[in-house]
Amino acid sequence: MTSDLPAPIAQALSALGANLRLARERRGMTIRELAAQINASAPTVIKLERGDPSVSMAIYAAALHLYERLQWLPDLVDPQFDREALRIELAGIRPRSARRR
């Protein structure tokens, strides 16, 4: 399913899924235990850990919450870190003339 996505997106989701799987394994949890903790099915957890884009954002967020990483989610698009938007805004600002009329 990730083959329909641009490569950078597929790679990012795959890496996220792999990290979520590693987090589960390091905690000694089974797929079924994680599924019960985040209110999802075992097949959904398998998809989650593969980085499947069909898994809802809520399930990804639930897993991040379980692993105490949910606080990072809002920062992904925090305006203060959006360099491109800042560049666009600054490009639209014209410096004031040094001379006063």
Side-chain angles (χ1 to χ4, degrees):
M1 188 161 318
T2 57
S3 62
D4 297 340
L5 297 173
I9 296 171
Q11 291 165 355
L13 286 173
S14 180
L16 176 59
N19 289 341
L20 290 169
R21 179 179 181 170
L22 181 59
R24 176 183 56 79
E25 289 174 343
R26 290 176 76 188
R27 286 165 176 76
M29 296 175 71
T30 67
I31 289 173
R32 288 177 191 229
E33 289 170 336
L34 175 58
Q37 290 280 335
I38 64 172
N39 198 27
S41 68
T44 297
V45 170
I46 291 168
K47 288 180 181 181
L48 169 87
E49 292 182 350
R50 288 181 181 157
D52 189 312
S54 69
V55 175
S56 79
M57 184 70 159
I59 298 296
Y60 279 102
L64 290 170
H65 177 66
L66 181 71
Y67 300 139
E68 299 178 7
R69 296 295 183 259
L70 184 62
Q71 72 276 10
W72 296 347
L73 191 59
D75 289 342
L76 294 176
V77 291
D78 188 321
Q80 70 177 331
F81 302 123
D82 189 347
R83 292 185 181 135
E84 180 62 11
L86 180 60
R87 185 194 65 74
I88 292 167
E89 287 175 358
L90 291 175
I93 298 173
R94 306 229 186 273
R96 294 179 78 187
S97 172
R99 293 184 285 159
R100 292 193 178 223
R101 293 184 184 185

